[in-house]
Amino acid sequence: MDRHRRSEGDLQVVVVPTGADSVQLAVIGEVDCITSPRLKARLWWALAEFDPRELVVDLSGVSFLDSTGRGALLYGWRIAQRHNCQLTVADPQPRVLAMLRIAGVAAHLGLDAAHS
């Protein structure tokens, strides 16, 4: 798919309450400079709407994540910290996990302990 013709709609972010104090975001697609604002918005909305103690971002459906996607995840992590919420990332594909590790943010997102 031509990156220049893609739109925010190419990224799906499904928000699912998973318990009294937890929410999961299932992210599907590519997270880049075009789609990362949608991820940021959904992270903010989930935290504001549900006020969870735990927010899990499922990246199993993400085939590509660039630095703006990483920034969106860190934005969500910072907002979650302010809401006394634990944000963790789950099931990233190997190349996404490698990028998060290289950037030095995997531990912030709860990945290094679970994916050693």
Side-chain angles (χ1 to χ4, degrees):
M1 182 178 276
D2 183 1
R3 287 191 190 277
H4 300 290
R5 293 182 184 224
R6 291 185 323 104
S7 69
E8 254 183 49
D10 293 335
L11 181 72
Q12 295 178 22
V13 183
V14 180
V15 180
V16 179
T18 55
D21 290 332
S22 62
V23 173
Q24 180 176 11
L25 266 71
V27 185
I28 303 162
E30 295 183 358
V31 186
D32 58 21
C33 64
I34 295 169
T35 60
S36 63
R38 178 169 172 76
L39 176 57
K40 283 176 74 171
R42 295 302 279 173
L43 286 163
W44 180 88
W45 179 83
L47 287 162
E49 181 70 19
F50 297 100
D51 193 26
R53 296 297 130 229
E54 178 182 41
L55 177 60
V56 177
V57 182
D58 179 352
L59 295 183
S60 62
V62 174
S63 58
F64 176 80
L65 183 117
D66 73 1
S67 62
T68 61
R70 180 185 70 226
L73 291 172
L74 289 174
Y75 165 84
W77 179 80
R78 284 190 301 272
I79 299 286
Q81 294 293 305
R82 290 185 203 139
H83 283 87
N84 294 317
C85 175
Q86 177 71 38
L87 183 146
T88 57
V89 167
D91 300 324
Q93 293 188 19
R95 70 189 266 187
V96 171
L97 177 59
M99 190 281 267
L100 293 171
R101 282 187 170 155
I102 289 168
V105 299
H108 289 299
L109 301 173
L111 288 169
D112 280 341
H115 293 88
S116 297

